[in-house]
Amino acid sequence: MISLNILDYSPKDEKSNAREALLQTTELAKKADELGYSRFWVSEHHQMLSLAGSNPEMLMMHLAASTNRIRIGSGGVMLPHYSSYKVAENFRMLEALYPNRIDLGIGRAPGANSLVTYALNEEKTRPLPYEQQVIDLKSYLTDEFPEDHRFRQLTATPVIDTKPEMWILGGGGGSAQIAADNGTAFTFAHFINPFGDGLAAVRHYRENFKPSTLFEKPKVMIGIFAVVAETNEEAEEVAKAFDLWLLKAESVQTPTFYPSIQTAMDYEYSPLELERISRNRNRVVVGDPKNVKNQIEKIAQLYGTNEITILPNISGAHNRMKSIELLAEEFNLPSQ
């Protein structure tokens, strides 16, 4: 049985605002909790004005308080910007208040442009390698330090009996190796790198996994964009806005809002843009619930996992809500 999760970017719809986007994320999380989804993660993006999700830890605190059962997580905290010690304390605080419901997903992508990266790291004189930051973070969460660790006398507070689940996010073999070395779970971003070495990365992670106090066995999750509607025709219509948003989000001038379906239909695409959109369609599953379920099951089978995280990053809060309802019903999730 496939366990379904959600990663939400808090998109700011056309003619809406950031506060409304965050409130819509809250309602989506509450609905996901009721419908039987297993996890609800939120992202860290900076200087992307079409997305309101810039601070996952603070939003997670609000979402955990607004839900009852579902695991709440970060997808993810961009660790190179921060102190591993502070991240550990943030997530121990969350875990203390909501035990066995917190996921710490970390990544090394900047989640921003070079100017934002500079602003977040302006005072750092000796940036640490990402690999060392991961080791440090794991040590703070488990209280298990190498004998020669420079901070082995430190304790990340609050001291608690449970641990947040630690996930390494990645789109290739480097992150898979780090996850395997540290005995963390691994989530592969199929929605970013569907053409890359995903299968090889997941296989390498499993073959080289070192059991830890975090996980005894390897644990894999796959993330995919998903556009779901009642019919295939309607899904294709909704997907037009997704196509335009993704096209602009990855261009020099990122959008200030998530375009409406009508805006996408009115847009005049160049041949180069149409080619890029066609290529991007490999990063998303589109269709009615039955069609999307079939596509998800094929991806799950391909990677040998039962955990799939969907990104319902589509135009309109009502469309996002409807999409997770349709998919939950099709998968027969155990509603609360």
Side-chain angles (χ1 to χ4, degrees):
M1 181 176 179
I2 292 178
S3 177
L4 279 184
N5 313 312
I6 294 171
L7 170 56
D8 186 55
Y9 284 176
S10 302
K12 186 183 75 174
D13 288 317
E14 193 171 326
K15 299 181 181 179
S16 185
N17 56 60
R19 171 176 165 76
E20 188 64 28
L22 295 171
L23 294 177
Q24 289 165 355
T25 287
T26 305
E27 292 305 310
L28 197 68
K30 290 163 69 174
K31 178 57 69 174
D33 193 23
E34 296 171 6
L35 291 172
Y37 285 83
S38 299
R39 308 174 194 271
F40 191 95
W41 287 11
V42 289
S43 63
E44 177 182 333
H45 290 98
H46 304 283
Q47 195 66 13
M48 291 193 70
L49 302 183
S50 62
L51 307 175
S54 61
N55 189 319
E57 299 100 318
M58 291 192 71
L59 184 52
M60 284 173 62
M61 183 69 79
H62 174 66
L63 296 178
S66 302
T67 53
N68 299 308
R69 169 204 57 83
I70 196 168
R71 295 188 67 93
I72 302 296
S74 57
V77 170
M78 299 297 104
L79 191 58
H81 295 317
Y82 311 111
S83 154
S84 294
Y85 185 64
K86 183 59 177 175
V87 172
E89 289 196 324
N90 285 345
F91 277 81
R92 274 195 162 180
M93 181 65 74
L94 284 162
E95 179 70 18
L97 293 170
Y98 304 98
N100 299 309
R101 288 189 58 206
I102 300 301
D103 296 335
L104 167 53
I106 60 172
R108 59 176 156 187
N113 60 31
S114 58
L115 185 61
V116 172
T117 299
Y118 177 62
L120 287 168
N121 296 273
E122 185 177 13
E123 296 179 359
K124 289 185 180 179
T125 56
R126 291 187 303 145
L128 285 172
Y130 178 64
E131 292 81 356
Q132 183 62 52
Q133 285 193 290
V134 173
I135 293 170
D136 293 346
L137 181 55
K138 176 189 173 184
S139 297
Y140 293 132
L141 292 177
T142 62
D143 295 310
E144 299 169 352
F145 290 86
E147 286 295 326
D148 59 347
H149 196 281
R150 65 203 185 284
F151 294 132
R152 70 184 311 270
Q153 293 180 322
L154 284 181
T155 300
T157 56
V159 177
I160 53 178
D161 295 329
T162 59
K163 303 179 185 70
E165 284 194 6
M166 185 171 169
W167 291 77
I168 301 291
L169 284 60
S175 297
Q177 181 66 60
I178 294 170
D181 287 343
N182 289 278
T184 74
F186 177 57
T187 178
F188 180 75
H190 183 86
F191 64 95
I192 293 177
N193 190 15
F195 304 105
D197 55 353
L199 294 177
V202 169
R203 182 172 60 252
H204 182 85
Y205 162 73
R206 288 193 174 112
E207 291 175 350
N208 294 274
F209 180 83
K210 298 176 181 177
S212 70
T213 54
L214 294 171
F215 292 95
E216 293 181 357
K217 298 179 180 179
K219 192 176 183 66
V220 172
M221 177 198 303
I222 304 299
I224 54 175
F225 284 124
V227 178
V228 190
E230 291 187 353
T231 67
N232 289 318
E233 292 75 20
E234 185 181 350
E236 281 295 331
E237 188 174 85
V238 174
K240 292 183 185 302
F242 168 82
D243 291 336
L244 179 58
W245 174 80
L246 186 57
L247 180 71
K248 294 301 182 182
E250 297 182 336
S251 67
V252 176
Q253 294 183 328
T254 60
T256 58
F257 56 82
Y258 199 110
S260 67
I261 296 170
Q262 188 60 53
T263 294
M265 293 178 70
D266 293 341
Y267 185 86
E268 294 185 8
Y269 296 91
S270 70
L272 188 61
E273 288 175 326
L274 289 173
E275 181 182 342
R276 182 65 182 269
I277 285 172
S278 178
R279 182 174 173 84
N280 278 340
R281 277 300 185 97
N282 290 283
R283 301 164 61 178
V284 57
V285 293
V286 180
D288 64 20
K290 183 177 181 179
N291 188 347
V292 169
K293 181 186 179 185
N294 288 337
Q295 294 179 70
I296 286 175
E297 288 176 336
K298 288 179 181 178
I299 291 172
Q301 184 177 22
L302 186 67
Y303 285 97
T305 183
N306 66 346
E307 279 223 45
I308 296 291
T309 293
I310 64 164
L311 288 74
N313 196 39
I314 57 179
S315 179
H318 60 291
N319 289 327
R320 295 190 286 275
M321 190 72 76
K322 186 66 175 178
S323 69
I324 72 167
E325 291 174 343
L326 291 169
L327 211 52
E329 182 179 359
E330 187 66 28
F331 274 90
N332 195 27
L333 296 185
S335 59
Q336 305 302 304

CSV table of all heavy atoms in Angstrom, one decimal, residues 233-284:
chain,number,residue,atom,x,y,z
A,233,GLU,N,-9.3,16.0,-19.2
A,233,GLU,CA,-9.4,17.3,-20.0
A,233,GLU,C,-9.2,18.5,-19.0
A,233,GLU,O,-8.5,19.4,-19.3
A,233,GLU,CB,-10.7,17.4,-20.7
A,233,GLU,CG,-10.8,16.4,-21.9
A,233,GLU,CD,-11.1,15.0,-21.4
A,233,GLU,OE1,-11.5,14.8,-20.2
A,233,GLU,OE2,-10.8,14.0,-22.2
A,234,GLU,N,-9.9,18.4,-17.9
A,234,GLU,CA,-9.8,19.4,-16.9
A,234,GLU,C,-8.4,19.5,-16.3
A,234,GLU,O,-7.9,20.6,-16.1
A,234,GLU,CB,-10.8,19.2,-15.8
A,234,GLU,CG,-10.9,20.3,-14.7
A,234,GLU,CD,-11.9,20.1,-13.6
A,234,GLU,OE1,-12.7,19.1,-13.7
A,234,GLU,OE2,-11.9,20.8,-12.6
A,235,ALA,N,-7.8,18.4,-16.1
A,235,ALA,CA,-6.4,18.4,-15.5
A,235,ALA,C,-5.5,19.0,-16.5
A,235,ALA,O,-4.6,19.8,-16.1
A,235,ALA,CB,-6.0,16.9,-15.2
A,236,GLU,N,-5.6,18.8,-17.8
A,236,GLU,CA,-4.8,19.4,-18.8
A,236,GLU,C,-4.9,20.9,-18.8
A,236,GLU,O,-4.0,21.7,-19.0
A,236,GLU,CB,-5.1,18.9,-20.2
A,236,GLU,CG,-4.4,17.5,-20.4
A,236,GLU,CD,-2.9,17.6,-20.5
A,236,GLU,OE1,-2.4,18.6,-20.8
A,236,GLU,OE2,-2.3,16.5,-20.1
A,237,GLU,N,-6.2,21.4,-18.5
A,237,GLU,CA,-6.4,22.8,-18.5
A,237,GLU,C,-5.7,23.4,-17.3
A,237,GLU,O,-5.1,24.5,-17.4
A,237,GLU,CB,-7.9,23.1,-18.4
A,237,GLU,CG,-8.3,24.5,-18.5
A,237,GLU,CD,-9.8,24.7,-18.6
A,237,GLU,OE1,-10.5,24.7,-17.5
A,237,GLU,OE2,-10.4,24.8,-19.7
A,238,VAL,N,-5.9,22.8,-16.1
A,238,VAL,CA,-5.2,23.3,-14.9
A,238,VAL,C,-3.7,23.2,-15.1
A,238,VAL,O,-3.0,24.1,-14.6
A,238,VAL,CB,-5.6,22.4,-13.7
A,238,VAL,CG1,-4.8,22.8,-12.4
A,238,VAL,CG2,-7.1,22.6,-13.4
A,239,ALA,N,-3.2,22.2,-15.8
A,239,ALA,CA,-1.7,22.1,-16.0
A,239,ALA,C,-1.1,23.2,-16.8
A,239,ALA,O,0.1,23.5,-16.7
A,239,ALA,CB,-1.4,20.7,-16.6
A,240,LYS,N,-2.0,23.9,-17.6
A,240,LYS,CA,-1.4,25.0,-18.4
A,240,LYS,C,-0.8,26.1,-17.5
A,240,LYS,O,0.2,26.7,-17.8
A,240,LYS,CB,-2.5,25.6,-19.3
A,240,LYS,CG,-3.0,24.6,-20.4
A,240,LYS,CD,-4.0,25.3,-21.3
A,240,LYS,CE,-4.5,24.3,-22.3
A,240,LYS,NZ,-3.5,23.8,-23.2
A,241,ALA,N,-1.5,26.4,-16.4
A,241,ALA,CA,-1.0,27.4,-15.4
A,241,ALA,C,0.3,26.9,-14.7
A,241,ALA,O,1.2,27.7,-14.5
A,241,ALA,CB,-2.1,27.7,-14.4
A,242,PHE,N,0.3,25.6,-14.4
A,242,PHE,CA,1.5,25.0,-13.9
A,242,PHE,C,2.7,25.2,-14.9
A,242,PHE,O,3.8,25.5,-14.5
A,242,PHE,CB,1.3,23.5,-13.5
A,242,PHE,CG,2.6,22.8,-13.2
A,242,PHE,CD1,3.2,22.9,-11.9
A,242,PHE,CD2,3.2,22.0,-14.2
A,242,PHE,CE1,4.3,22.2,-11.7
A,242,PHE,CE2,4.4,21.4,-13.9
A,242,PHE,CZ,5.0,21.4,-12.7
A,243,ASP,N,2.4,24.9,-16.1
A,243,ASP,CA,3.5,25.0,-17.2
A,243,ASP,C,4.1,26.4,-17.2
A,243,ASP,O,5.3,26.5,-17.2
A,243,ASP,CB,2.9,24.6,-18.5
A,243,ASP,CG,2.5,23.2,-18.7
A,243,ASP,OD1,3.0,22.3,-18.0
A,243,ASP,OD2,1.6,22.9,-19.5
A,244,LEU,N,3.2,27.4,-17.1
A,244,LEU,CA,3.6,28.8,-17.2
A,244,LEU,C,4.4,29.1,-16.0
A,244,LEU,O,5.4,29.8,-16.0
A,244,LEU,CB,2.5,29.7,-17.5
A,244,LEU,CG,2.8,31.2,-17.5
A,244,LEU,CD1,3.8,31.5,-18.7
A,244,LEU,CD2,1.5,32.0,-17.7
A,245,TRP,N,3.9,28.7,-14.8
A,245,TRP,CA,4.6,29.1,-13.5
A,245,TRP,C,6.0,28.5,-13.5
A,245,TRP,O,6.9,29.2,-13.2
A,245,TRP,CB,3.8,28.6,-12.3
A,245,TRP,CG,4.5,28.8,-11.1
A,245,TRP,CD1,4.7,30.0,-10.4
A,245,TRP,CD2,5.4,27.8,-10.4
A,245,TRP,NE1,5.5,29.8,-9.3
A,245,TRP,CE2,6.0,28.5,-9.3
A,245,TRP,CE3,5.7,26.5,-10.6
A,245,TRP,CZ2,6.9,27.9,-8.4
A,245,TRP,CZ3,6.6,25.9,-9.8
A,245,TRP,CH2,7.2,26.5,-8.7
A,246,LEU,N,6.1,27.2,-13.8
A,246,LEU,CA,7.4,26.5,-13.8
A,246,LEU,C,8.4,27.2,-14.8
A,246,LEU,O,9.5,27.4,-14.5
A,246,LEU,CB,7.2,25.0,-14.0
A,246,LEU,CG,8.5,24.2,-13.9
A,246,LEU,CD1,9.1,24.3,-12.5
A,246,LEU,CD2,8.2,22.7,-14.1
A,247,LEU,N,7.8,27.5,-15.9
A,247,LEU,CA,8.7,28.1,-17.0
A,247,LEU,C,9.2,29.4,-16.4
A,247,LEU,O,10.4,29.7,-16.6
A,247,LEU,CB,7.8,28.4,-18.2
A,247,LEU,CG,8.5,29.1,-19.4
A,247,LEU,CD1,9.5,28.1,-20.1
A,247,LEU,CD2,7.5,29.6,-20.4
A,248,LYS,N,8.4,30.3,-15.8
A,248,LYS,CA,8.8,31.6,-15.3
A,248,LYS,C,9.6,31.4,-14.0
A,248,LYS,O,10.6,32.2,-13.8
A,248,LYS,CB,7.6,32.5,-15.1
A,248,LYS,CG,6.9,32.8,-16.4
A,248,LYS,CD,7.8,33.6,-17.4
A,248,LYS,CE,7.0,34.0,-18.6
A,248,LYS,NZ,7.9,34.7,-19.6
A,249,ALA,N,9.3,30.5,-13.2
A,249,ALA,CA,10.0,30.3,-11.9
A,249,ALA,C,11.5,29.9,-12.2
A,249,ALA,O,12.3,30.2,-11.3
A,249,ALA,CB,9.4,29.2,-11.1
A,250,GLU,N,11.8,29.3,-13.3
A,250,GLU,CA,13.1,28.9,-13.6
A,250,GLU,C,13.8,29.8,-14.6
A,250,GLU,O,14.8,29.5,-15.2
A,250,GLU,CB,13.1,27.5,-14.1
A,250,GLU,CG,12.7,26.5,-13.0
A,250,GLU,CD,12.7,25.0,-13.4
A,250,GLU,OE1,12.7,24.8,-14.6
A,250,GLU,OE2,12.8,24.2,-12.5
A,251,SER,N,13.2,31.0,-14.8
A,251,SER,CA,13.8,32.0,-15.7
A,251,SER,C,14.5,33.1,-14.9
A,251,SER,O,14.5,33.1,-13.7
A,251,SER,CB,12.7,32.6,-16.6
A,251,SER,OG,11.8,33.4,-15.8
A,252,VAL,N,15.1,34.0,-15.6
A,252,VAL,CA,15.8,35.1,-14.9
A,252,VAL,C,14.8,36.0,-14.1
A,252,VAL,O,15.1,36.4,-13.0
A,252,VAL,CB,16.5,36.0,-16.0
A,252,VAL,CG1,17.2,37.2,-15.3
A,252,VAL,CG2,17.6,35.2,-16.7
A,253,GLN,N,13.7,36.3,-14.7
A,253,GLN,CA,12.7,37.1,-14.0
A,253,GLN,C,11.6,36.2,-13.5
A,253,GLN,O,10.7,35.8,-14.2
A,253,GLN,CB,12.1,38.2,-14.9
A,253,GLN,CG,13.1,39.2,-15.4
A,253,GLN,CD,12.5,40.3,-16.3
A,253,GLN,OE1,11.5,40.0,-17.0
A,253,GLN,NE2,13.0,41.5,-16.2
A,254,THR,N,11.7,35.8,-12.2
A,254,THR,CA,10.7,34.9,-11.6
A,254,THR,C,9.4,35.6,-11.4
A,254,THR,O,9.4,36.8,-11.2
A,254,THR,CB,11.2,34.4,-10.2
A,254,THR,OG1,11.5,35.5,-9.3
A,254,THR,CG2,12.5,33.6,-10.4
A,255,PRO,N,8.3,34.9,-11.4
A,255,PRO,CA,7.0,35.6,-11.3
A,255,PRO,C,6.7,36.1,-9.9
A,255,PRO,O,7.2,35.6,-8.9
A,255,PRO,CB,6.0,34.4,-11.7
A,255,PRO,CG,6.7,33.2,-11.3
A,255,PRO,CD,8.2,33.5,-11.6
A,256,THR,N,5.9,37.1,-9.8
A,256,THR,CA,5.5,37.6,-8.5
A,256,THR,C,4.2,37.0,-8.0
A,256,THR,O,3.8,37.3,-6.9
A,256,THR,CB,5.3,39.2,-8.6
A,256,THR,OG1,4.3,39.5,-9.6
A,256,THR,CG2,6.6,39.9,-9.0
A,257,PHE,N,3.6,36.2,-8.8
A,257,PHE,CA,2.3,35.5,-8.4
A,257,PHE,C,2.2,34.2,-9.2
A,257,PHE,O,2.9,34.0,-10.2
A,257,PHE,CB,1.1,36.4,-8.6
A,257,PHE,CG,0.9,36.9,-10.0
A,257,PHE,CD1,0.3,36.1,-10.9
A,257,PHE,CD2,1.3,38.2,-10.3
A,257,PHE,CE1,0.2,36.5,-12.2
A,257,PHE,CE2,1.2,38.6,-11.6
A,257,PHE,CZ,0.6,37.8,-12.6
A,258,TYR,N,1.4,33.3,-8.7
A,258,TYR,CA,1.1,32.1,-9.5
A,258,TYR,C,0.0,32.4,-10.5
A,258,TYR,O,-1.1,32.8,-10.1
A,258,TYR,CB,0.6,31.0,-8.5
A,258,TYR,CG,0.8,29.6,-9.1
A,258,TYR,CD1,1.7,28.7,-8.7
A,258,TYR,CD2,0.0,29.2,-10.2
A,258,TYR,CE1,1.9,27.5,-9.2
A,258,TYR,CE2,0.1,28.0,-10.8
A,258,TYR,CZ,1.1,27.1,-10.3
A,258,TYR,OH,1.2,25.9,-10.9
A,259,PRO,N,0.3,32.2,-11.8
A,259,PRO,CA,-0.7,32.7,-12.8
A,259,PRO,C,-2.0,31.9,-12.8
A,259,PRO,O,-2.0,30.7,-12.4
A,259,PRO,CB,0.1,32.4,-14.1
A,259,PRO,CG,1.0,31.4,-13.8
A,259,PRO,CD,1.5,31.6,-12.4
A,260,SER,N,-3.1,32.5,-13.2
A,260,SER,CA,-4.3,31.8,-13.3
A,260,SER,C,-4.4,31.0,-14.6
A,260,SER,O,-3.5,31.2,-15.5
A,260,SER,CB,-5.5,32.9,-13.3
A,260,SER,OG,-5.4,33.6,-14.5
A,261,ILE,N,-5.3,30.1,-14.7
A,261,ILE,CA,-5.5,29.3,-15.9
A,261,ILE,C,-5.7,30.2,-17.1
A,261,ILE,O,-5.2,30.0,-18.2
A,261,ILE,CB,-6.6,28.3,-15.7
A,261,ILE,CG1,-6.3,27.3,-14.6
A,261,ILE,CG2,-6.9,27.6,-17.0
A,261,ILE,CD1,-7.4,26.4,-14.2
A,262,GLN,N,-6.5,31.3,-16.9
A,262,GLN,CA,-6.8,32.2,-18.0
A,262,GLN,C,-5.6,32.9,-18.5
A,262,GLN,O,-5.4,33.1,-19.7
A,262,GLN,CB,-7.9,33.2,-17.6
A,262,GLN,CG,-8.4,34.0,-18.8
A,262,GLN,CD,-9.1,33.2,-19.9
A,262,GLN,OE1,-10.0,32.4,-19.6
A,262,GLN,NE2,-8.6,33.4,-21.1
A,263,THR,N,-4.8,33.3,-17.5
A,263,THR,CA,-3.5,34.0,-17.9
A,263,THR,C,-2.6,33.1,-18.7
A,263,THR,O,-2.0,33.5,-19.7
A,263,THR,CB,-2.8,34.5,-16.6
A,263,THR,OG1,-3.6,35.5,-16.0
A,263,THR,CG2,-1.4,35.1,-16.9
A,264,ALA,N,-2.6,31.8,-18.3
A,264,ALA,CA,-1.8,30.9,-19.0
A,264,ALA,C,-2.3,30.6,-20.4
A,264,ALA,O,-1.5,30.5,-21.4
A,264,ALA,CB,-1.7,29.6,-18.2
A,265,MET,N,-3.6,30.6,-20.6
A,265,MET,CA,-4.2,30.4,-21.9
A,265,MET,C,-4.0,31.6,-22.8
A,265,MET,O,-3.9,31.4,-24.0
A,265,MET,CB,-5.7,30.0,-21.7
A,265,MET,CG,-6.0,28.7,-21.0
A,265,MET,SD,-7.7,28.4,-20.7
A,265,MET,CE,-8.2,28.0,-22.4
A,266,ASP,N,-3.9,32.8,-22.2
A,266,ASP,CA,-3.8,34.0,-23.0
A,266,ASP,C,-2.3,34.2,-23.4
A,266,ASP,O,-2.0,35.1,-24.3
A,266,ASP,CB,-4.3,35.2,-22.3
A,266,ASP,CG,-5.8,35.1,-22.1
A,266,ASP,OD1,-6.5,34.4,-22.9
A,266,ASP,OD2,-6.4,35.8,-21.2
A,267,TYR,N,-1.4,33.5,-22.8
A,267,TYR,CA,0.0,33.8,-22.9
A,267,TYR,C,0.5,33.3,-24.3
A,267,TYR,O,0.1,32.3,-24.8
A,267,TYR,CB,0.8,33.1,-21.8
A,267,TYR,CG,2.3,33.4,-21.8
A,267,TYR,CD1,2.8,34.5,-21.2
A,267,TYR,CD2,3.2,32.6,-22.5
A,267,TYR,CE1,4.2,34.8,-21.2
A,267,TYR,CE2,4.6,32.8,-22.5
A,267,TYR,CZ,5.0,33.9,-21.8
A,267,TYR,OH,6.4,34.2,-21.8
A,268,GLU,N,1.3,34.1,-25.0
A,268,GLU,CA,1.9,33.8,-26.3
A,268,GLU,C,3.3,33.2,-26.1
A,268,GLU,O,4.2,33.9,-25.7
A,268,GLU,CB,1.9,35.0,-27.2
A,268,GLU,CG,0.6,35.5,-27.5
A,268,GLU,CD,0.6,36.7,-28.6
A,268,GLU,OE1,1.7,36.9,-29.1
A,268,GLU,OE2,-0.4,37.3,-28.8
A,269,TYR,N,3.4,31.9,-26.3
A,269,TYR,CA,4.7,31.2,-26.1
A,269,TYR,C,5.6,31.2,-27.3
A,269,TYR,O,5.1,31.0,-28.4
A,269,TYR,CB,4.4,29.7,-25.7
A,269,TYR,CG,3.6,29.5,-24.4
A,269,TYR,CD1,2.2,29.5,-24.4
A,269,TYR,CD2,4.3,29.5,-23.2
A,269,TYR,CE1,1.5,29.3,-23.2
A,269,TYR,CE2,3.6,29.3,-22.0
A,269,TYR,CZ,2.2,29.3,-22.0
A,269,TYR,OH,1.5,29.1,-20.8
A,270,SER,N,6.8,31.3,-27.0
A,270,SER,CA,7.8,31.2,-28.1
A,270,SER,C,8.1,29.7,-28.4
A,270,SER,O,7.8,28.9,-27.5
A,270,SER,CB,9.1,31.9,-27.7
A,270,SER,OG,9.8,31.1,-26.7
A,271,PRO,N,8.6,29.4,-29.5
A,271,PRO,CA,9.0,28.0,-29.8
A,271,PRO,C,9.9,27.4,-28.8
A,271,PRO,O,9.8,26.2,-28.4
A,271,PRO,CB,9.6,28.0,-31.2
A,271,PRO,CG,9.0,29.2,-31.8
A,271,PRO,CD,8.8,30.2,-30.7
A,272,LEU,N,10.8,28.2,-28.3
A,272,LEU,CA,11.8,27.7,-27.3
A,272,LEU,C,11.1,27.4,-25.9
A,272,LEU,O,11.4,26.4,-25.3
A,272,LEU,CB,12.9,28.7,-27.0
A,272,LEU,CG,14.1,28.3,-26.1
A,272,LEU,CD1,14.8,27.1,-26.8
A,272,LEU,CD2,15.0,29.5,-25.9
A,273,GLU,N,10.1,28.3,-25.6
A,273,GLU,CA,9.3,28.1,-24.4
A,273,GLU,C,8.5,26.8,-24.5
A,273,GLU,O,8.3,26.1,-23.5
A,273,GLU,CB,8.5,29.3,-24.1
A,273,GLU,CG,9.3,30.5,-23.6
A,273,GLU,CD,8.4,31.7,-23.4
A,273,GLU,OE1,7.5,31.9,-24.2
A,273,GLU,OE2,8.7,32.5,-22.5
A,274,LEU,N,7.9,26.6,-25.6
A,274,LEU,CA,7.0,25.4,-25.8
A,274,LEU,C,7.9,24.1,-25.7
A,274,LEU,O,7.4,23.1,-25.1
A,274,LEU,CB,6.4,25.5,-27.2
A,274,LEU,CG,5.2,26.5,-27.3
A,274,LEU,CD1,4.7,26.6,-28.7
A,274,LEU,CD2,4.1,26.2,-26.4
A,275,GLU,N,9.1,24.2,-26.2
A,275,GLU,CA,10.0,23.1,-26.1
A,275,GLU,C,10.4,22.8,-24.6
A,275,GLU,O,10.4,21.7,-24.2
A,275,GLU,CB,11.3,23.4,-26.9
A,275,GLU,CG,12.3,22.2,-26.9
A,275,GLU,CD,13.6,22.5,-27.6
A,275,GLU,OE1,13.5,23.5,-28.5
A,275,GLU,OE2,14.6,21.8,-27.4
A,276,ARG,N,10.6,23.9,-23.9
A,276,ARG,CA,10.9,23.7,-22.4
A,276,ARG,C,9.7,23.2,-21.7
A,276,ARG,O,9.9,22.3,-20.8
A,276,ARG,CB,11.3,25.1,-21.9
A,276,ARG,CG,11.7,25.1,-20.4
A,276,ARG,CD,13.0,24.3,-20.2
A,276,ARG,NE,13.4,24.2,-18.8
A,276,ARG,CZ,14.2,25.1,-18.2
A,276,ARG,NH1,14.7,26.1,-18.9
A,276,ARG,NH2,14.5,25.0,-16.9
A,277,ILE,N,8.5,23.6,-22.0
A,277,ILE,CA,7.3,23.1,-21.3
A,277,ILE,C,7.2,21.6,-21.6
A,277,ILE,O,6.8,20.8,-20.7
A,277,ILE,CB,6.1,23.9,-21.8
A,277,ILE,CG1,6.1,25.3,-21.1
A,277,ILE,CG2,4.8,23.1,-21.5
A,277,ILE,CD1,5.0,26.2,-21.7
A,278,SER,N,7.4,21.2,-22.8
A,278,SER,CA,7.3,19.8,-23.2
A,278,SER,C,8.3,19.0,-22.4
A,278,SER,O,7.9,17.9,-21.9
A,278,SER,CB,7.5,19.6,-24.7
A,278,SER,OG,7.5,18.3,-25.1
A,279,ARG,N,9.5,19.5,-22.2
A,279,ARG,CA,10.5,18.7,-21.4
A,279,ARG,C,10.1,18.7,-20.0
A,279,ARG,O,10.2,17.7,-19.3
A,279,ARG,CB,11.8,19.4,-21.6
A,279,ARG,CG,13.0,18.7,-20.9
A,279,ARG,CD,14.3,19.4,-21.2
A,279,ARG,NE,15.4,18.8,-20.4
A,279,ARG,CZ,16.1,17.7,-20.7
A,279,ARG,NH1,15.7,17.0,-21.8
A,279,ARG,NH2,17.1,17.3,-19.9
A,280,ASN,N,9.5,19.8,-19.4
A,280,ASN,CA,9.2,19.9,-18.0
A,280,ASN,C,8.0,18.9,-17.7
A,280,ASN,O,7.8,18.5,-16.5
A,280,ASN,CB,8.7,21.3,-17.7
A,280,ASN,CG,9.9,22.2,-17.3
A,280,ASN,OD1,11.0,21.7,-17.0
A,280,ASN,ND2,9.7,23.5,-17.4
A,281,ARG,N,7.2,18.5,-18.7
A,281,ARG,CA,6.1,17.6,-18.4
A,281,ARG,C,6.6,16.3,-17.9
A,281,ARG,O,5.8,15.5,-17.3
A,281,ARG,CB,5.3,17.5,-19.7
A,281,ARG,CG,4.2,18.6,-19.9
A,281,ARG,CD,3.3,18.7,-18.7
A,281,ARG,NE,2.2,19.6,-18.9
A,281,ARG,CZ,1.0,19.4,-19.4
A,281,ARG,NH1,0.7,18.1,-19.7
A,281,ARG,NH2,0.1,20.3,-19.6
A,282,ASN,N,7.9,16.0,-18.1
A,282,ASN,CA,8.4,14.7,-17.5
A,282,ASN,C,8.5,14.8,-16.0
A,282,ASN,O,8.8,13.8,-15.3
A,282,ASN,CB,9.8,14.4,-18.1
A,282,ASN,CG,9.7,14.0,-19.5
A,282,ASN,OD1,9.3,12.9,-19.9
A,282,ASN,ND2,10.0,14.9,-20.4
A,283,ARG,N,8.4,16.0,-15.4
A,283,ARG,CA,8.5,16.3,-14.0
A,283,ARG,C,7.2,16.2,-13.3
A,283,ARG,O,7.1,16.5,-12.0
A,283,ARG,CB,9.2,17.6,-13.8
A,283,ARG,CG,10.6,17.7,-14.4
A,283,ARG,CD,11.1,19.1,-14.5
A,283,ARG,NE,11.2,19.8,-13.2
A,283,ARG,CZ,11.7,21.0,-13.1
A,283,ARG,NH1,12.1,21.7,-14.2
A,283,ARG,NH2,11.8,21.5,-11.9
A,284,VAL,N,6.1,16.0,-14.0
A,284,VAL,CA,4.8,16.1,-13.4
A,284,VAL,C,3.9,15.0,-13.9
A,284,VAL,O,4.0,14.6,-15.0
A,284,VAL,CB,4.2,17.5,-13.7
A,284,VAL,CG1,4.1,17.7,-15.2
A,284,VAL,CG2,2.8,17.7,-13.1
